[in-house]
Amino acid sequence: MKKTDISDLQHFHKVVDCQWACPAHTNVPEYIRLIAAGRYTDSYMLNWFSNVFPGVLGRTCDRPCEPACRRGRVEEKPVAICRLKRVAADFKDDISDRLPAIPSKKNGKRVALVGAGPASLAVARDLLPLGYEVVLYEKDQRGGGAMRTQIPAFRLPESVLDEEVDRILDFGVECHFGQPVQSMGWLLKQGFDAVFVGSGAPRGRDLDIPGRQEASANIHIGIDWLASVAFEHINTIGKRVVVIGGGNTAMDCCRTALRLGGEQVTVTVRSGFDEMKASPWEKEDAMHEGIPILDYHAPKSFQIDNGRLSGVWFEKMRAERDDKGRRRLVPTGEPLVLIPCDDVLMAIGQENAFPWIERDIGIEFDQWDMPKLDADTFQSTHPQVFFGGDAAFGPKNIIWAVAHGHAAAISMDLLCQGKDLHADRPAKGVTLVSQKMGMHDWSYGNDFAATQRLAVPHADKFKTLKNIKVEVELGFDAEMALKEAARCLNCDVQTVFTENLCIECDACVDICPEDCITFTTNGDEAELRTRLTAPATNLDQPLYVSDPVPTGRVMVKDEDLCLHCGFCAERCPTGAWDMQKSILTLPQAGGVCRV
Ligand SMILES: Cc1cc2nc3c(=O)[nH]c(=O)nc-3n(C[C@H](O)[C@H](O)[C@H](O)COP(=O)(O)OP(=O)(O)OC[C@H]3O[C@@H](n4cnc5c(N)ncnc54)[C@H](O)[C@@H]3O)c2cc1C
Ligand code: SF4
Ligand code: SF4
């Protein structure tokens, strides 16, 4: 194998798993170390730089980083990365003097944002410090998008949302709340240099089964109903509620119904419990509140008595494999089941809708009526119009919306500066910095004690079920945060090997707790993987291979097993091993910034 080029971003891409799994590439290990050092404000700012809404996301993020976390390889559960982010937000000091200066002299370019969700707000956050005039149109009266209208206050308190949304609006966004954009043609005529469409995926799916029309007074589309609850247009529901659907919207609907007077709230899902789209923690929270989830129940019709909804009939299903091994759901043949109810909440998915974009205006749509976009620049077929968040590729989550916002802001800036959106895009890079402080001293904690993941304490159920605004999760206190932060393996601190310093004493091999270092003759990768002290079976994780050492052998380290503890570097008598922090430089509008 060729010597590994550790200056290649792709190597770190695979080694700092959490940071790369985060769509906004938040510098997870660094912010966790800052929390461990009690530097909450610094940790918050590092987060704010990449993910823009640390307080919101510390409570609500879909956490793609956690399944990727390397702690999960040495213990059952990953570091509670998301909830540590909340710690930074909860314990930070005033950050007003750390925010970017907004130039009073503008750069002469005006951009429009459609919708005030996280995608648009991320664009505003990135472009305002560069001197852009940013004009926002939002159909609702407040900013935040689905973070405000969909996520219930018992998961995301209004004060947390207001703080992070207002921070951006206060940078000087010209806001037009309560003003839906009804025509893209009209918007383009306003003379903007670029337009960003962050209008989300606002249409909830309906279910056209017998009885739907007759019972319509008591059948509610989940996302519309949640928005009405958020804006306090609705504050009650019938005592018996059936929620149809198995995603996170269903979980928010059932828990909200319970707080609005529902006494028997039941979730029904067509497929199996394990296949439900809802995150495991959302399902756990719903069940903890006493809500049953009935799986393999397919809705067949609504029961109407005296002109009013009185129940839903379900057909029981089971999963089976067809001739080609494909899994499908088939009826069990058992009699239909009636679940009596007063109201139904329909949470079976959402779709995009762009009725306000004229189809002859230069923006092309595909066969699913989604805009055709350049996946790197988020530019539509109309050069001045960009899409991001749920409006770009369908419903996803907040952190993806933010990541899209950053990417689109780079493109809009390049366009406005007359540059090429691909060729002039700022590049990603990586810098390595030694973490050595003394002979055996590192600037990071390298104890990898087997502490189990700590559970976030919850408020008393009897209090939270009585009031929709009482937050369920209490968050970690400082002591718990410190313990949980210590579980992080500092995967960004890399083991760096300098072959010409190595005297082949094997001290590193002896001390390594994971048997991940092998000195051996070189070979091709597949064969070399089988010859290591501990065979490297995870093909997704790279080997780190050196140039030959004096005896002609090479050093091979399995990046999959390495705990980044640094014992090898502590033990090495010549300094051939060093622990070096890899700082990824990720682009944002206006150039490359360090994270
Ligand atoms: C019930 C529910 C719970 C969720 N929970 C989570 C969660 O816990 N964690 C998570 O990460 N994600 C969650 N999501 C998903 C997340 O909210 C979205 O993915 C995210 O908000 C998308 O951001 P966005 O900026 O693309 O659009 P949105 O947040 O949807 O914002 C779009 C905005 O555009 C406005 N708008 C639409 N059309 C127009 C127009 N023509 N003119 C002017 N304004 C317009 C809308 O009013 C809205 O304010 C949830 C979604 C739902 C439905
Ligand atoms: S152990 Fe820490 S640095 Fe490593 S993947 Fe998990 S959170 Fe990230
Ligand atoms: S840092 Fe060194 S000693 Fe620790 S697990 Fe990795 S190779 Fe082994």
Side-chain angles (χ1 to χ4, degrees), residues 341-372:
C341 65
D342 306 306
D343 284 288
V344 165
L345 296 173
M346 202 85 83
I348 53 173
Q350 40 183 137
E351 289 167 349
N352 292 83
F354 302 102
W356 53 279
I357 300 184
E358 295 85 349
R359 299 307 146 115
D360 58 355
I361 211 158
I363 301 172
E364 286 175 33
F365 285 79
D366 64 16
Q367 68 266 44
W368 298 282
D369 217 24
M370 291 296 284
K372 288 188 184 168

Short mmCIF file of all heavy atoms in Angstrom, two decimals, residues 341-372:
data_model
loop_
_atom_site.label_atom_id
_atom_site.label_comp_id
_atom_site.label_asym_id
_atom_site.label_seq_id
_atom_site.Cartn_x
_atom_site.Cartn_y
_atom_site.Cartn_z
N CYS A 341 -63.13 6.54 18.64
CA CYS A 341 -62.43 7.81 18.88
C CYS A 341 -63.34 9.00 18.60
O CYS A 341 -64.37 8.87 17.95
CB CYS A 341 -61.18 7.90 18.01
SG CYS A 341 -61.53 7.96 16.28
N ASP A 342 -62.90 10.15 19.12
CA ASP A 342 -63.61 11.40 18.87
C ASP A 342 -62.89 12.23 17.80
O ASP A 342 -63.52 13.02 17.11
CB ASP A 342 -63.69 12.23 20.17
CG ASP A 342 -64.29 11.41 21.29
OD1 ASP A 342 -65.39 10.88 21.09
OD2 ASP A 342 -63.64 11.26 22.36
N ASP A 343 -61.58 12.09 17.74
CA ASP A 343 -60.80 12.84 16.75
C ASP A 343 -59.70 11.95 16.19
O ASP A 343 -59.18 11.05 16.87
CB ASP A 343 -60.13 14.06 17.42
CG ASP A 343 -61.11 15.18 17.67
OD1 ASP A 343 -61.51 15.82 16.70
OD2 ASP A 343 -61.48 15.39 18.86
N VAL A 344 -59.33 12.27 14.95
CA VAL A 344 -58.21 11.56 14.30
C VAL A 344 -57.18 12.59 13.88
O VAL A 344 -57.53 13.66 13.36
CB VAL A 344 -58.70 10.78 13.06
CG1 VAL A 344 -57.52 10.35 12.18
CG2 VAL A 344 -59.50 9.56 13.46
N LEU A 345 -55.91 12.26 14.14
CA LEU A 345 -54.83 13.12 13.64
C LEU A 345 -54.07 12.33 12.59
O LEU A 345 -53.59 11.22 12.85
CB LEU A 345 -53.90 13.51 14.80
CG LEU A 345 -54.55 14.35 15.90
CD1 LEU A 345 -53.61 14.53 17.08
CD2 LEU A 345 -54.97 15.70 15.35
N MET A 346 -53.97 12.91 11.41
CA MET A 346 -53.37 12.22 10.28
C MET A 346 -51.91 12.66 10.14
O MET A 346 -51.64 13.82 9.85
CB MET A 346 -54.16 12.65 9.03
CG MET A 346 -54.07 11.71 7.91
SD MET A 346 -55.28 10.45 8.11
CE MET A 346 -56.71 11.27 7.45
N ALA A 347 -51.00 11.73 10.37
CA ALA A 347 -49.57 12.09 10.33
C ALA A 347 -48.85 11.10 9.42
O ALA A 347 -48.00 10.34 9.86
CB ALA A 347 -48.99 12.07 11.75
N ILE A 348 -49.24 11.14 8.14
CA ILE A 348 -48.70 10.13 7.22
C ILE A 348 -47.75 10.73 6.19
O ILE A 348 -47.54 10.16 5.14
CB ILE A 348 -49.85 9.36 6.52
CG1 ILE A 348 -50.82 10.34 5.86
CG2 ILE A 348 -50.57 8.44 7.49
CD1 ILE A 348 -51.88 9.66 5.02
N GLY A 349 -47.16 11.87 6.51
CA GLY A 349 -46.14 12.42 5.63
C GLY A 349 -46.49 13.82 5.14
O GLY A 349 -47.62 14.28 5.29
N GLN A 350 -45.49 14.48 4.59
CA GLN A 350 -45.72 15.82 4.04
C GLN A 350 -45.03 15.94 2.69
O GLN A 350 -44.14 15.17 2.37
CB GLN A 350 -45.25 16.91 5.01
CG GLN A 350 -43.99 16.59 5.70
CD GLN A 350 -43.54 17.61 6.70
OE1 GLN A 350 -43.13 17.22 7.76
NE2 GLN A 350 -43.57 18.89 6.38
N GLU A 351 -45.51 16.93 1.95
CA GLU A 351 -45.03 17.11 0.58
C GLU A 351 -44.69 18.56 0.32
O GLU A 351 -45.15 19.44 1.03
CB GLU A 351 -46.16 16.73 -0.40
CG GLU A 351 -46.44 15.27 -0.44
CD GLU A 351 -47.74 14.97 -1.17
OE1 GLU A 351 -48.49 15.91 -1.45
OE2 GLU A 351 -47.97 13.80 -1.46
N ASN A 352 -43.95 18.77 -0.74
CA ASN A 352 -43.68 20.14 -1.17
C ASN A 352 -44.85 20.66 -1.99
O ASN A 352 -45.64 19.87 -2.51
CB ASN A 352 -42.41 20.18 -2.00
CG ASN A 352 -41.22 19.88 -1.13
OD1 ASN A 352 -40.91 18.73 -0.88
ND2 ASN A 352 -40.59 20.91 -0.64
N ALA A 353 -44.93 21.96 -2.06
CA ALA A 353 -45.99 22.57 -2.88
C ALA A 353 -45.47 23.93 -3.31
O ALA A 353 -45.06 24.73 -2.46
CB ALA A 353 -47.26 22.72 -2.06
N PHE A 354 -45.43 24.15 -4.58
CA PHE A 354 -44.96 25.44 -5.09
C PHE A 354 -46.02 26.07 -6.01
O PHE A 354 -45.73 26.38 -7.16
CB PHE A 354 -43.64 25.27 -5.84
CG PHE A 354 -42.54 24.65 -5.01
CD1 PHE A 354 -42.19 23.32 -5.15
CD2 PHE A 354 -41.85 25.43 -4.10
CE1 PHE A 354 -41.18 22.77 -4.39
CE2 PHE A 354 -40.83 24.88 -3.33
CZ PHE A 354 -40.49 23.54 -3.48
N PRO A 355 -47.24 26.24 -5.50
CA PRO A 355 -48.28 26.79 -6.38
C PRO A 355 -47.96 28.22 -6.79
O PRO A 355 -48.51 28.72 -7.77
CB PRO A 355 -49.54 26.74 -5.51
CG PRO A 355 -49.06 26.70 -4.12
CD PRO A 355 -47.74 26.01 -4.14
N TRP A 356 -47.09 28.87 -6.05
CA TRP A 356 -46.80 30.29 -6.30
C TRP A 356 -45.64 30.49 -7.28
O TRP A 356 -45.31 31.62 -7.62
CB TRP A 356 -46.50 30.98 -4.96
CG TRP A 356 -45.42 30.28 -4.17
CD1 TRP A 356 -45.57 29.19 -3.38
CD2 TRP A 356 -44.03 30.61 -4.14
NE1 TRP A 356 -44.36 28.81 -2.83
CE2 TRP A 356 -43.41 29.68 -3.28
CE3 TRP A 356 -43.26 31.61 -4.73
CZ2 TRP A 356 -42.04 29.71 -3.02
CZ3 TRP A 356 -41.90 31.64 -4.45
CH2 TRP A 356 -41.30 30.69 -3.61
N ILE A 357 -45.05 29.39 -7.73
CA ILE A 357 -43.96 29.54 -8.71
C ILE A 357 -44.52 29.25 -10.11
O ILE A 357 -44.94 28.11 -10.39
CB ILE A 357 -42.78 28.60 -8.40
CG1 ILE A 357 -42.22 28.93 -7.00
CG2 ILE A 357 -41.68 28.74 -9.47
CD1 ILE A 357 -40.99 28.15 -6.60
N GLU A 358 -44.52 30.25 -10.95
CA GLU A 358 -45.04 30.08 -12.30
C GLU A 358 -44.15 29.08 -13.04
O GLU A 358 -42.93 29.11 -12.89
CB GLU A 358 -45.04 31.41 -13.07
CG GLU A 358 -45.99 32.46 -12.51
CD GLU A 358 -45.39 33.28 -11.36
OE1 GLU A 358 -44.31 32.91 -10.86
OE2 GLU A 358 -46.00 34.28 -10.95
N ARG A 359 -44.77 28.21 -13.83
CA ARG A 359 -43.99 27.16 -14.48
C ARG A 359 -43.33 27.62 -15.79
O ARG A 359 -42.66 26.84 -16.45
CB ARG A 359 -44.87 25.92 -14.73
CG ARG A 359 -45.42 25.31 -13.42
CD ARG A 359 -44.29 25.03 -12.43
NE ARG A 359 -44.67 25.22 -11.04
CZ ARG A 359 -44.74 24.29 -10.14
NH1 ARG A 359 -44.47 23.06 -10.44
NH2 ARG A 359 -45.05 24.58 -8.90
N ASP A 360 -43.53 28.91 -16.15
CA ASP A 360 -42.92 29.37 -17.40
C ASP A 360 -41.89 30.47 -17.12
O ASP A 360 -41.65 31.34 -17.92
CB ASP A 360 -44.01 29.91 -18.34
CG ASP A 360 -44.78 31.05 -17.68
OD1 ASP A 360 -44.54 31.33 -16.49
OD2 ASP A 360 -45.64 31.65 -18.36
N ILE A 361 -41.29 30.38 -15.93
CA ILE A 361 -40.46 31.51 -15.51
C ILE A 361 -38.97 31.18 -15.56
O ILE A 361 -38.11 31.97 -15.16
CB ILE A 361 -40.95 31.95 -14.10
CG1 ILE A 361 -40.75 33.44 -13.93
CG2 ILE A 361 -40.29 31.18 -13.00
CD1 ILE A 361 -41.63 34.01 -12.87
N GLY A 362 -38.68 29.94 -16.01
CA GLY A 362 -37.27 29.54 -16.13
C GLY A 362 -36.81 28.60 -15.03
O GLY A 362 -35.67 28.16 -14.99
N ILE A 363 -37.71 28.27 -14.08
CA ILE A 363 -37.36 27.31 -13.03
C ILE A 363 -37.97 25.97 -13.43
O ILE A 363 -39.19 25.83 -13.44
CB ILE A 363 -37.90 27.77 -11.65
CG1 ILE A 363 -37.32 29.13 -11.29
CG2 ILE A 363 -37.57 26.74 -10.58
CD1 ILE A 363 -37.92 29.75 -10.05
N GLU A 364 -37.11 25.02 -13.75
CA GLU A 364 -37.64 23.72 -14.20
C GLU A 364 -37.94 22.81 -13.01
O GLU A 364 -37.21 22.82 -12.01
CB GLU A 364 -36.62 23.03 -15.11
CG GLU A 364 -36.54 23.67 -16.48
CD GLU A 364 -35.45 23.04 -17.32
OE1 GLU A 364 -35.20 21.82 -17.18
OE2 GLU A 364 -34.83 23.80 -18.10
N PHE A 365 -38.99 22.00 -13.16
CA PHE A 365 -39.37 21.05 -12.11
C PHE A 365 -39.27 19.64 -12.68
O PHE A 365 -39.42 19.43 -13.89
CB PHE A 365 -40.81 21.34 -11.65
CG PHE A 365 -40.90 22.56 -10.77
CD1 PHE A 365 -40.89 23.83 -11.33
CD2 PHE A 365 -40.97 22.43 -9.40
CE1 PHE A 365 -40.95 24.96 -10.52
CE2 PHE A 365 -41.03 23.56 -8.58
CZ PHE A 365 -41.02 24.83 -9.14
N ASP A 366 -38.99 18.65 -11.80
CA ASP A 366 -38.87 17.26 -12.28
C ASP A 366 -40.23 16.56 -12.24
O ASP A 366 -41.27 17.19 -11.98
CB ASP A 366 -37.80 16.51 -11.48
CG ASP A 366 -38.18 16.35 -10.00
OD1 ASP A 366 -39.37 16.55 -9.67
OD2 ASP A 366 -37.30 16.02 -9.19
N GLN A 367 -40.20 15.23 -12.46
CA GLN A 367 -41.48 14.50 -12.55
C GLN A 367 -42.23 14.44 -11.22
O GLN A 367 -43.41 14.14 -11.19
CB GLN A 367 -41.28 13.08 -13.13
CG GLN A 367 -40.52 12.10 -12.26
CD GLN A 367 -39.03 12.06 -12.60
OE1 GLN A 367 -38.40 13.11 -12.79
NE2 GLN A 367 -38.46 10.87 -12.67
N TRP A 368 -41.50 14.72 -10.10
CA TRP A 368 -42.19 14.75 -8.80
C TRP A 368 -42.58 16.18 -8.41
O TRP A 368 -42.88 16.47 -7.28
CB TRP A 368 -41.31 14.14 -7.71
CG TRP A 368 -41.01 12.70 -7.98
CD1 TRP A 368 -41.83 11.64 -7.78
CD2 TRP A 368 -39.79 12.18 -8.54
NE1 TRP A 368 -41.20 10.48 -8.16
CE2 TRP A 368 -39.96 10.78 -8.63
CE3 TRP A 368 -38.60 12.73 -8.95
CZ2 TRP A 368 -38.97 9.94 -9.14
CZ3 TRP A 368 -37.60 11.91 -9.45
CH2 TRP A 368 -37.80 10.54 -9.53
N ASP A 369 -42.47 17.07 -9.37
CA ASP A 369 -42.78 18.49 -9.16
C ASP A 369 -41.84 19.14 -8.16
O ASP A 369 -42.21 20.05 -7.41
CB ASP A 369 -44.24 18.66 -8.72
CG ASP A 369 -44.83 19.91 -9.34
OD1 ASP A 369 -44.32 20.35 -10.39
OD2 ASP A 369 -45.78 20.46 -8.75
N MET A 370 -40.60 18.65 -8.15
CA MET A 370 -39.56 19.27 -7.32
C MET A 370 -38.62 20.05 -8.24
O MET A 370 -38.39 19.65 -9.39
CB MET A 370 -38.77 18.19 -6.58
CG MET A 370 -39.58 17.48 -5.51
SD MET A 370 -40.05 18.61 -4.19
CE MET A 370 -38.51 18.79 -3.30
N PRO A 371 -38.08 21.17 -7.75
CA PRO A 371 -37.21 21.98 -8.61
C PRO A 371 -35.95 21.21 -9.00
O PRO A 371 -35.40 20.46 -8.18
CB PRO A 371 -36.86 23.17 -7.72
CG PRO A 371 -37.07 22.69 -6.32
CD PRO A 371 -38.19 21.71 -6.38
N LYS A 372 -35.50 21.40 -10.25
CA LYS A 372 -34.23 20.77 -10.67
C LYS A 372 -33.10 21.65 -10.15
O LYS A 372 -33.03 22.84 -10.49
CB LYS A 372 -34.17 20.68 -12.19
CG LYS A 372 -35.10 19.64 -12.75
CD LYS A 372 -34.84 19.48 -14.24
CE LYS A 372 -35.84 18.50 -14.85
NZ LYS A 372 -35.81 18.53 -16.31
#
